């Protein structure tokens, strides 16, 4: 073992043994290295996935060890009919799992195929916005081929939100809500989000990619400053860390449950459940649709998953969730 690696191991062992804050001064004295060297080793350990908090007056605290994604273990733990029954790809680092999954779809990959990433460098959000992929989180996309018209695409986003909401609520015991159209929130903070992209042929869905990003084990400081007021993670909300393999298992099982329900029973039961987990109905909103701003009261979610809002003249507008492109037949 190189000297560098053995010092890193000594630091980890020390932090583990203490199980509480250890001052930089103590680490430096016990290991016979400078404070600057301690800082460098801690940075290297963080890059390997250790979650080490640092505070100037208190020193270092080990909050979590690397949580490697184990595809075989996740696969074995699933009880699904469609999702996870196609091809699996794990990429340590990729620009966007949605982009990768779309490439697979164009190559004819089967329904239920999955692309999982350790980290995304250019995660995509709705309306061309970016998505910050928090470290030690979940970033993945599933390929679906539902036999449905494009106008029902919002149902895919809705079912993915239901699956994430259930997973977060079961794991944390907290009041987790769905914020229309595609966010999962705890209190006022966003802890996960969904992005559905699809290929449409002759008004029908040819394939759809459901991308899900979950903030799991990231700290306040790890979010960019401009997101710190609006974003959070399960770690921040509960003080506990969550195994990514366990969250993948629960989430993929839940996704499959809601997707099979949609195929068998249609959108109505999903819309019913969604209404209980979201508090948008009755609220005054200001939304942009097709470049136009619509202001009005949220009346209901219709059977296709579209939000119906009434403007002040009483005219009703149906608002979609999905971002999709019309393809020439
Ligand atoms: C949003 O904030 O509007 C949606 C964000 C969705 C992020 C997920 S992370 C996995 C998948 N890959 C992407 O590039 N985006 C989605």
């Amino acid at each position: 073992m190189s000297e560098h690696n053995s010092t890193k191991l000594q630091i980890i062992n020390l932090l583990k043994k203490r199980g509480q804050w250890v001052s930089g001064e103590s680490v430096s004295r016990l290991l016979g290295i400078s404070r600057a060297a301690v800082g460098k080793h801690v940075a290297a350990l963080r890059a390997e996935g250790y979650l080490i908090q640092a505070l100037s007056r208190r020193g270092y605290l080990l909050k979590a060890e690397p949580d490697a994604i184990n595809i075989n273990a996740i696969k074995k733990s699933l009880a699904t009919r469609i999702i996870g029954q196609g091809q699996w790809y794990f990429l340590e680092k990729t620009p966007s799992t949605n982009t990768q999954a779309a490439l697979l779809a164009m190559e004819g990959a089967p329904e239920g195929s999955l692309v999982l990433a350790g980290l995304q460098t250019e995660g995509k959000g709705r309306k061309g916005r970016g998505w910050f992929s928090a470290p030690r989180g979940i970033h993945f996309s599933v390929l679906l081929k539902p036999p449905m018209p494009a106008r029902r695409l919002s149902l895919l986003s809705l079912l993915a939100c239901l699956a994430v909401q259930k997973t977060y609520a079961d794991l944390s015991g907290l009041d987790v809500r769905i914020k229309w159209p595609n966010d999962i929130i705890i209190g006022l903070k966003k802890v996960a989000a969904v992005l559905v992209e699809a290929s449409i042929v002759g008004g029908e869905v040819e394939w759809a990619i459901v991308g899900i990003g979950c903030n799991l084990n990231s700290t306040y400081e790890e979010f960019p400053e401009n997101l710190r007021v609006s974003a959070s993670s399960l770690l921040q909300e509960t003080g506990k860390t969550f195994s990514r393999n366990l969250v993948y298992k629960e989430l993929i099982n839940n996704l499959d449950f809601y997707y099979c329900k949609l195929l068998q029973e249609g959108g109505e039961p999903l819309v019913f459940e969604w209404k209980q987990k979201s508090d948008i109905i009755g609220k005054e909103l200001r939304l942009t649709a097709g470049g136009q701003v619509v202001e009005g009261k949220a009346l209901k979610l219709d059977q296709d998953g579209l939000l119906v809002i009434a403007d002040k003249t009483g005219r009703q507008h149906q608002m979609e969730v999905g971002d999709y492109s019309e393809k020439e037949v």
Side-chain angles (χ1 to χ4, degrees):
M1 195 185 292
S2 73
E3 198 180 318
H4 179 72
N5 281 339
S6 90
T7 312
K8 281 194 301 186
L9 197 62
Q10 283 175 303
I11 295 179
I12 282 303
N13 286 339
L14 177 63
L15 296 181
K16 264 207 254 183
K17 209 163 128 199
R18 292 277 177 93
Q20 53 181 315
W21 290 94
V22 185
S23 71
E25 168 67 38
S26 310
V27 182
S28 133
R29 189 168 24 82
L30 288 165
L31 270 60
I33 55 174
S34 70
R35 293 283 293 273
V38 174
K40 262 194 208 155
H41 288 296
V42 166
L45 285 163
R46 282 183 177 145
E48 286 172 24
Y50 286 93
L51 175 54
I52 301 173
Q53 275 196 312
L55 282 178
S56 50
R57 297 242 174 107
R58 306 188 71 184
Y60 300 103
L61 176 69
L62 175 64
K63 297 227 41 164
E65 293 187 60
D67 168 32
I69 293 171
N70 182 335
I71 297 292
N72 284 331
I74 302 171
K75 268 189 200 174
K76 274 196 203 144
S77 66
L78 296 181
T80 61
R81 286 173 54 191
I82 300 173
I83 301 178
Q85 299 305 323
Q87 299 165 356
W88 284 67
Y89 294 86
F90 173 67
L91 304 159
E92 204 55 72
K93 203 182 196 183
T94 188
S96 154
T97 55
N98 264 32
T99 306
Q100 284 299 328
L103 292 175
L104 288 179
M106 287 183 240
E107 286 166 11
E111 180 171 51
S113 294
L114 289 163
V115 180
L116 283 58
L119 201 68
Q120 291 183 127
T121 50
E122 288 164 43
K124 296 192 288 183
R126 282 177 68 240
K127 300 186 181 228
R129 289 188 284 251
W131 165 257
F132 171 72
S133 305
R136 296 174 299 283
I138 275 192
H139 329 281
F140 79 111
S141 302
V142 53
L143 168 61
L144 297 177
K145 301 186 179 179
M148 59 158 61
R151 72 183 156 75
R152 306 194 79 210
L153 262 178
S154 296
L155 288 170
L156 297 185
S157 179
L158 189 141
L159 81 82
C161 285
L162 284 174
V164 180
Q165 188 280 339
K166 178 166 171 35
T167 307
Y168 267 59
D170 288 350
L171 290 172
S172 69
L174 297 177
D175 183 21
V176 183
R177 310 289 296 169
I178 301 173
K179 184 174 172 221
W180 190 87
N182 63 331
D183 293 343
I184 306 301
I185 53 170
I186 298 180
L188 293 175
K189 295 198 168 192
K190 179 160 161 172
V191 287
V194 170
L195 174 67
V196 176
E197 297 180 286
S199 167
I200 310 301
V201 180
E204 293 289 312
V205 176
E206 182 191 22
W207 48 258
I209 306 297
V210 177
I212 300 179
C214 298
N215 305 333
L216 282 189
N217 299 315
S218 43
T219 59
Y220 177 80
E221 296 78 21
E222 285 176 309
F223 285 97
E225 262 175 49
N226 62 329
L227 295 181
R228 288 179 190 166
V229 247
S230 58
S232 186
S233 69
L234 264 198
L235 168 65
Q236 277 176 252
E237 297 304 316
T238 61
K240 293 185 212 146
T241 54
F242 294 82
S243 141
R244 286 190 288 185
N245 294 328
L246 173 70
V247 179
Y248 267 122
K249 172 198 157 196
E250 299 296 327
L251 185 46
I252 296 171
N253 277 333
N254 286 332
L255 270 175
D256 191 74
F257 169 80
Y258 285 114
Y259 185 53
C260 291
K261 203 175 180 75
L262 171 69
L263 296 182
Q264 282 158 9
E265 299 172 38
E268 228 169 283
L270 301 188
V271 168
F272 180 79
E273 192 171 333
W274 185 93
K275 277 184 201 152
Q276 296 165 336
K277 294 176 171 173
S278 165
D279 28 27
I280 197 172
I281 305 303
K283 285 203 171 140
E284 293 292 336
L285 304 172
R286 188 167 196 271
L287 300 168
T288 321
Q292 279 194 321
V293 177
V294 181
E295 279 183 348
K297 189 178 190 159
L299 295 183
K300 62 170 184 179
L301 210 64
D302 72 12
Q303 63 193 18
D304 293 335
L306 303 179
L307 184 72
V308 181
I309 70 171
D311 65 23
K312 56 176 186 285
T313 70
R315 197 174 141 220
Q316 295 190 3
H317 305 257
Q318 289 173 308
M319 315 298 292
E320 284 182 18
V321 182
D323 293 351
Y324 63 88
S325 55
E326 190 75 40
K327 201 164 120 177
E328 296 286 328
V329 208

